[in-house]
Amino acid sequence: MSVFTSWPPNLTTEQLDQLTVLATTYALSHSLLYLPPVSSQNAPPPAPESAIHAPISLIPAPIPRRLFSHALTLQRAYNTLYARVALDVSFLDHVMGHGGVADVDDFTSALWSAWKRLRVDGVPQPLHLGLFRSDYLLHQPTSDDPISLKQVEFNTISSSFGPLSQRVAGMHRNLPINDTTKGLAEGLAEAHRAYDDPDAYVLFVVQPNERNIFDQRLLEYQLFESHRIRVVRRTFAELGLTASISASRALIIAPVIPGLNADPVEISVVYYRSGYAPVDYASPADYATRGLLESSRAAQCPSLALQLAGTKKVQEVLTRPGMLERFLTQEEGAAALRGSWVRIWSLDADDGAGAEEAVRCAHELVLKPQREGGGNNIYRDSIPPFVEQLPPQERAAWVAMELIRPPRSIGAYLVRSGAGRVNVHVMSELGVFGWALFGEGREVKEKQAGWLVRTKAEDVNEGGVAAGFGVLDSVLLVD
Amino acid sequence: MSVFTSWPPNLTTEQLDQLTVLATTYALSHSLLYLPPVSSQNAPPPAPESAIHAPISLIPAPIPRRLFSHALTLQRAYNTLYARVALDVSFLDHVMGHGGVADVDDFTSALWSAWKRLRVDGVPQPLHLGLFRSDYLLHQPTSDDPISLKQVEFNTISSSFGPLSQRVAGMHRNLPINDTTKGLAEGLAEAHRAYDDPDAYVLFVVQPNERNIFDQRLLEYQLFESHRIRVVRRTFAELGLTASISASRALIIAPVIPGLNADPVEISVVYYRSGYAPVDYASPADYATRGLLESSRAAQCPSLALQLAGTKKVQEVLTRPGMLERFLTQEEGAAALRGSWVRIWSLDADDGAGAEEAVRCAHELVLKPQREGGGNNIYRDSIPPFVEQLPPQERAAWVAMELIRPPRSIGAYLVRSGAGRVNVHVMSELGVFGWALFGEGREVKEKQAGWLVRTKAEDVNEGGVAAGFGVLDSVLLVD
């Protein structure tokens, strides 16, 4: 039983800091929560807006297996016992009533009197239900004694912490969760398996001060729980200091601080949750880092090529006659894809005709720049003056796109933490997830991986959930 | 498609307030979360301590089933399409490189140049992985047109909100969760079924300003998700105004405000998460309310009798010779139960001998009052002076109990939101849950229902998790 004195394992401050982040994040994202304290200055909001993690132990408590098992076994006898006690009126009267505890304890007296009154009034006794909790401590009077289990008390009312306790077990043990998460993780896992080193890690390249971390962490948990694949998270700045490529072109990530992953780890898949907008690259060094990562054997999610394939410009080019058919046969669904597109053209199309057309049809158009990040689109009446002042050589950076027109006057209630609820007319955007794993001379492996609905006020031209304009939503299927 | 204009359903402000509480609580406890905003004044804590709910829509968005299905079907073609685009070097060079977008957009240029450099350097191209999201809007130019689906864009990098989206679907649809929670809910459901009115509600009697609401809400969700049983939550004060008993002794609860449950509801089971301590009864009216509830046909969890059966006094009495055997045979585990007990006796035992014994053995004892709530126990050296000044007629309110002695010097790291992490020697308390459903002349139905470990610093005599002394923990099974 030497584990009792050698517990918990010896960890450095840095390791503990890392474990603490993992634990509190796990707790917050697995509903191991409390509402925040309420002070006289701060009344609680009408609907809860935030939560804090419940008090937790970083590392689980050692308990002898046989005693744990014994305590579980005992419970049924306890259940029966207290049921029978509660049914024994004369016993309880004797112990709790006049001449018993009721004489010396006001609270007990009040409870017993209330019960007595019901009986005097002839009210038939109800069906009882006990949700019990029997509490024990390990017991070892001296270090020479065997450890045993002793009951502290048996709770018959308000036995709490069952659900939260289940979550703590999950935190320590990583219980399974579950379809979008699973679908996306399968994609990452497929790439990981293709790398053919089960001990390699998946690298999440992330922004500093990311607020949407749960969305990322849930994928991380899924990867570990379903596939036993571990994740390391790094910003570009951190990777500039810690990423290197081996002679065999393995991507190696050194620890940022001497911590839980004290040895450098090899990376199977690089998954970018940063790097999609200029602001993500603080300096030319960050571009160099991106290149360094892609120079490795690790699968890139996405590769630079794939990121480029996802630009608005490519979206526009694909709509040109015959272009889509370069990539996809009719049997593979080319016509169906095309049927899902609105008209798109480049402002520099046809020697100026593209710009003229955009001015002429301005009222039903949006102009989109190649640049990502939102907030740069030009709508309707703003288009003609914008096009007038645009130097012709910059036209190629803009595409004109027919405005999609959602059904109008659909109401919704949008709720944002700290900003309450608004009732507005909205439009909803459906997103469908998928993944594909592919490479030169290799069959494309791919799947559909779930969906997303985001909703925003219909008079707001653009802006995403993270920017505070839209909200996450789901779908009512109507016929 | 009239649902589009009649959506969402017409709800009163009070109904919306209630829905909002349900939705944000569901979101917080199902990891539909964001970290709080960070300001220049408030740096984020080293480990996250709190979370806010992600922006959400209170009611799901209507989308035609055929279009939703169509969008899911399209995804595989899109996956294939973008994979092939990314593999077509000359296509991408042509569109994105010199003479293309790279000439007019610095960011694209930087990405393309980085890719180009890799190719020039002869770095073999990596395995690509795309985690995609294709975004659509419903499209209906005029109200006479059929609604169709049009693509907004196709994301090949950082496609986010998959996991959170899954949770929103859960919020709107109540997806199943899962053993302590399930076990406890089964108990409530068993009692509900015994009441034999599927439309009845379970009543949770709760404290005002409860902070541990997730622990309660998770049970509520489980009841609905696994058993389709609905819950209504009320404080004693609210019940004083809204509870009544029908001629057939049904317990009827009127709405507190005209809200979601605008009709009065009949109660199958009363589940008390309040009422276990004097402070829960603000006035005699609250005791009257408790009595009123128990005068109904609704199952009581616990009944007054069962609550009384759970007192320390009963715990003491059961340890007396022959007492346990009144309730439980040897075959049913009486000896095993007794083996889990330490010595307990009443201070008024044997005409003063009980008090004398407590003074004599003080160093290995704790005195516990009948009163619940913690903080009133008397330990070791404090016992003799306490007993000296205790009026003999109050002795019956106190039991002396042998101190259980957990193994010493077990270390742990306890983490509390707002208070950071402490490394201390601890003791851990194991709780085992169970339930029993029983009544006069009826077989006891019961089950074991999971467990709980709470850990606290070993030099803290008492105090629970809610009081801020202990933490929730789980178990490492050692042999």
Side-chain angles (χ1 to χ4, degrees):
Chain A
M1 211 68 73
S2 64
V3 71
F4 281 101
T5 46
S6 65
W7 197 254
N10 204 10
L11 300 169
T12 67
T13 302
E14 289 77 13
Q15 289 173 319
L16 289 169
D17 287 343
Q18 288 190 28
L19 255 191
T20 303
V21 171
L22 293 173
T24 65
T25 302
Y26 189 101
L28 287 169
S29 47
H30 286 72
S31 61
L32 187 46
L33 302 173
Y34 264 66
L35 287 184
V38 175
S39 69
S40 50
Q41 293 80 32
N42 296 314
E49 297 181 340
S50 66
I52 61 173
H53 66 75
I56 49 173
S57 174
L58 205 52
I59 293 173
I63 293 182
R65 185 186 303 272
R66 67 181 172 85
L67 296 182
F68 181 77
S69 165
H70 185 58
L72 296 185
T73 303
L74 282 186
Q75 189 61 30
R76 303 198 57 180
Y78 271 120
N79 296 337
T80 303
L81 168 65
Y82 279 85
R84 291 181 185 170
V85 169
L87 288 174
D88 193 324
V89 174
S90 65
F91 173 80
L92 286 175
D93 273 357
H94 180 70
V95 174
M96 309 307 297
H98 293 308
V101 176
D103 289 352
V104 290
D105 184 76
D106 292 344
F107 180 58
T108 301
S109 175
L111 294 176
W112 180 79
S113 300
W115 180 42
K116 178 81 178 169
R117 201 170 312 119
L118 292 170
R119 289 185 282 141
V120 167
D121 293 346
V123 175
Q125 289 301 283
L127 196 58
H128 310 238
L129 174 66
L131 292 188
F132 302 133
R133 197 187 67 226
S134 179
D135 294 334
Y136 305 89
L137 288 170
L138 292 181
H139 182 54
Q140 188 180 37
T142 78
S143 59
D144 293 327
D145 292 320
I147 296 174
S148 62
L149 193 77
K150 295 298 178 186
Q151 187 185 51
V152 180
E153 62 178 2
F154 190 85
N155 300 280
T156 63
I157 182 167
S158 290
S159 306
S160 63
F161 292 121
L164 289 197
S165 171
Q166 178 176 332
R167 308 289 157 141
V168 187
M171 182 181 75
H172 285 149
R173 198 199 295 142
N174 268 13
L175 294 170
I177 13 175
N178 80 27
D179 287 319
T180 307
T181 318
K182 190 176 159 202
L184 296 175
E186 275 175 357
L188 291 166
E190 192 71 35
H192 174 81
R193 282 191 291 271
Y195 189 81
D196 207 18
D197 176 358
D199 292 333
Y201 282 57
V202 171
L203 170 64
F204 281 24
V205 182
V206 297
Q207 295 171 335
N209 302 317
E210 171 68 73
R211 284 186 57 218
N212 191 17
I213 63 161
F214 299 107
D215 196 52
Q216 300 172 2
R217 290 285 189 181
L218 292 171
L219 267 183
E220 179 180 332
Y221 304 141
Q222 181 76 25
L223 275 175
F224 184 71
E225 290 159 5
S226 293
H227 305 283
R228 297 288 133 182
I229 297 170
R230 287 166 298 182
V231 167
V232 55
R233 295 167 59 87
R234 290 287 189 279
T235 63
F236 274 120
E238 290 167 341
L239 288 168
L241 300 171
T242 58
S244 61
I245 309 291
S246 76
S248 66
R249 289 203 306 113
L251 173 57
I252 305 296
I253 307 294
V256 175
I257 46 171
L260 278 183
N261 308 313
D263 294 327
V265 295
E266 185 168 340
I267 302 299
S268 57
V269 186
V270 184
Y271 175 46
Y272 296 90
R273 290 295 289 252
S274 178
Y276 55 85
V279 70
D280 292 337
Y281 300 87
S283 73
D286 288 344
Y287 287 106
T289 298
R290 175 85 188 258
L292 179 78
L293 300 180
E294 184 148 339
S295 73
S296 75
R297 285 192 288 118
Q300 304 289 309
C301 179
S303 59
L304 287 159
L306 185 52
Q307 180 171 355
L308 292 168
T311 57
K312 295 189 181 64
K313 190 64 186 181
V314 169
Q315 183 179 19
E316 179 263 311
V317 172
L318 287 171
T319 66
R320 297 182 191 171
M323 266 303 171
L324 173 60
E325 292 68 19
R326 172 174 177 151
F327 302 104
L328 218 58
T329 67
Q330 292 305 325
E331 291 70 33
E332 289 172 323
L337 283 200
R338 196 175 281 282
S340 74
W341 293 343
V342 290
R343 203 156 62 101
I344 309 180
W345 67 93
S346 176
L347 279 197
D348 73 342
D350 300 330
D351 226 6
E356 285 166 24
E357 172 78 356
V359 169
R360 188 167 55 247
C361 308
H363 65 285
E364 57 188 40
L365 294 182
V366 53
L367 294 191
K368 295 184 171 184
Q370 182 51 49
R371 184 174 299 273
E372 286 287 343
N376 300 308
N377 293 353
I378 312 292
Y379 288 85
R380 300 175 188 266
D381 295 349
S382 306
I383 293 175
F386 177 80
V387 171
E388 297 306 324
Q389 57 76 45
L390 188 70
Q393 67 276 17
E394 292 186 20
R395 286 178 180 165
W398 292 83
V399 298
M401 186 172 175
E402 193 187 347
L403 278 166
I404 300 174
R405 312 227 198 126
R408 307 287 291 180
S409 302
I410 299 175
Y413 299 94
L414 311 186
V415 184
R416 291 186 190 84
S417 186
R421 179 188 69 235
V422 293
N423 177 11
V424 288
H425 288 158
V426 296
M427 58 178 76
S428 295
E429 190 166 325
L430 170 68
V432 179
F433 291 94
W435 62 261
L437 180 65
F438 55 96
E440 199 58 50
R442 181 187 252 273
E443 203 178 356
V444 177
K445 186 152 194 174
E446 51 79 29
K447 277 192 179 166
Q448 187 255 92
W451 48 274
L452 162 71
V453 177
R454 281 167 305 172
T455 293
K456 63 181 179 180
E458 66 180 11
D459 54 359
V460 175
N461 271 326
E462 62 178 320
V465 173
F469 295 107
V471 304
L472 301 175
D473 203 344
S474 112
V475 57
L476 173 81
L477 297 172
V478 293
D479 292 304
Chain B
M1 213 66 77
S2 64
V3 70
F4 281 101
T5 47
S6 64
W7 195 254
N10 204 10
L11 299 170
T12 67
T13 303
E14 288 76 14
Q15 290 173 320
L16 289 168
D17 287 343
Q18 288 189 27
L19 256 190
T20 304
V21 170
L22 293 174
T24 65
T25 303
Y26 188 100
L28 287 168
S29 46
H30 287 73
S31 61
L32 187 48
L33 301 173
Y34 265 49
L35 286 184
V38 176
S39 70
S40 50
Q41 291 80 32
N42 296 315
E49 296 181 339
S50 67
I52 61 174
H53 67 75
I56 50 173
S57 174
L58 205 52
I59 294 174
I63 293 181
R65 185 186 305 272
R66 66 179 172 87
L67 297 182
F68 180 76
S69 164
H70 185 58
L72 296 185
T73 304
L74 282 185
Q75 189 61 31
R76 303 198 55 180
Y78 271 121
N79 296 337
T80 303
L81 168 65
Y82 279 84
R84 291 181 185 169
V85 170
L87 288 174
D88 193 324
V89 174
S90 65
F91 173 79
L92 286 174
D93 273 356
H94 180 72
V95 175
M96 310 307 298
H98 292 308
V101 176
D103 288 353
V104 291
D105 183 78
D106 290 345
F107 179 56
T108 301
S109 174
L111 295 176
W112 180 80
S113 300
W115 179 43
K116 179 81 178 170
R117 201 171 311 119
L118 291 171
R119 289 184 282 141
V120 168
D121 293 346
V123 175
Q125 289 301 282
L127 195 58
H128 311 238
L129 173 67
L131 292 189
F132 301 133
R133 198 188 67 226
S134 179
D135 294 335
Y136 305 89
L137 288 170
L138 292 182
H139 182 54
Q140 188 181 39
T142 78
S143 58
D144 293 327
D145 292 321
I147 297 175
S148 62
L149 194 78
K150 295 298 179 186
Q151 186 184 53
V152 180
E153 62 179 1
F154 190 85
N155 300 281
T156 62
I157 183 168
S158 292
S159 305
S160 62
F161 292 121
L164 288 197
S165 171
Q166 178 177 332
R167 308 288 159 142
V168 186
M171 181 181 74
H172 286 149
R173 199 200 294 139
N174 269 12
L175 293 170
I177 12 176
N178 78 23
D179 290 319
T180 308
T181 317
K182 191 176 160 204
L184 296 175
E186 276 175 357
L188 291 166
E190 192 71 34
H192 174 83
R193 282 191 292 272
Y195 188 82
D196 207 18
D197 176 356
D199 291 332
Y201 283 56
V202 170
L203 170 63
F204 280 25
V205 183
V206 297
Q207 295 171 335
N209 301 316
E210 170 68 74
R211 283 186 59 218
N212 190 17
I213 64 161
F214 299 107
D215 196 52
Q216 301 172 1
R217 290 285 190 183
L218 292 171
L219 267 183
E220 178 181 333
Y221 304 140
Q222 181 76 25
L223 275 175
F224 185 71
E225 290 159 4
S226 293
H227 305 282
R228 296 288 135 183
I229 298 170
R230 287 165 298 182
V231 166
V232 55
R233 295 167 58 87
R234 290 286 189 278
T235 63
F236 274 119
E238 289 166 342
L239 288 169
L241 300 171
T242 58
S244 61
I245 308 292
S246 77
S248 66
R249 292 204 303 115
L251 173 57
I252 306 296
I253 307 293
V256 175
I257 46 169
L260 277 184
N261 308 313
D263 294 326
V265 295
E266 184 169 340
I267 301 300
S268 56
V269 186
V270 184
Y271 175 46
Y272 295 91
R273 291 295 290 253
S274 178
Y276 54 85
V279 71
D280 292 337
Y281 299 86
S283 72
D286 288 344
Y287 285 107
T289 298
R290 174 88 189 257
L292 180 79
L293 300 180
E294 183 149 339
S295 72
S296 75
R297 286 192 288 116
Q300 303 289 310
C301 180
S303 58
L304 288 159
L306 185 53
Q307 182 171 353
L308 293 168
T311 56
K312 295 190 181 68
K313 188 65 188 182
V314 169
Q315 184 179 19
E316 179 264 310
V317 172
L318 287 171
T319 66
R320 297 182 193 171
M323 266 302 171
L324 172 60
E325 290 69 19
R326 173 174 175 151
F327 301 104
L328 218 58
T329 65
Q330 293 305 328
E331 291 70 33
E332 289 172 323
L337 283 201
R338 198 176 280 283
S340 75
W341 293 344
V342 290
R343 202 155 64 101
I344 310 181
W345 67 93
S346 174
L347 278 199
D348 73 343
D350 300 330
D351 228 6
E356 284 166 25
E357 172 78 357
V359 170
R360 188 167 54 248
C361 309
H363 66 284
E364 59 188 37
L365 294 183
V366 53
L367 294 191
K368 295 184 171 184
Q370 182 49 49
R371 183 173 299 274
E372 285 287 343
N376 300 306
N377 292 352
I378 312 292
Y379 288 84
R380 299 175 188 268
D381 294 348
S382 307
I383 292 176
F386 176 81
V387 171
E388 297 306 324
Q389 58 76 46
L390 189 70
Q393 68 274 19
E394 291 186 22
R395 284 178 180 164
W398 293 83
V399 298
M401 186 170 173
E402 192 186 346
L403 279 166
I404 300 174
R405 312 225 197 127
R408 308 288 292 180
S409 302
I410 299 175
Y413 299 94
L414 311 185
V415 184
R416 291 186 189 84
S417 187
R421 180 188 70 235
V422 294
N423 177 12
V424 287
H425 287 159
V426 296
M427 58 179 76
S428 296
E429 189 167 324
L430 170 67
V432 179
F433 290 94
W435 62 263
L437 180 66
F438 55 97
E440 199 57 51
R442 181 186 251 272
E443 202 178 357
V444 177
K445 187 152 192 174
E446 51 77 29
K447 275 191 180 167
Q448 187 253 94
W451 48 274
L452 162 71
V453 176
R454 282 167 304 173
T455 292
K456 62 181 181 182
E458 67 180 9
D459 54 359
V460 175
N461 271 327
E462 62 178 320
V465 173
F469 294 106
V471 304
L472 301 176
D473 204 344
S474 112
V475 57
L476 174 80
L477 297 172
V478 292
D479 293 304

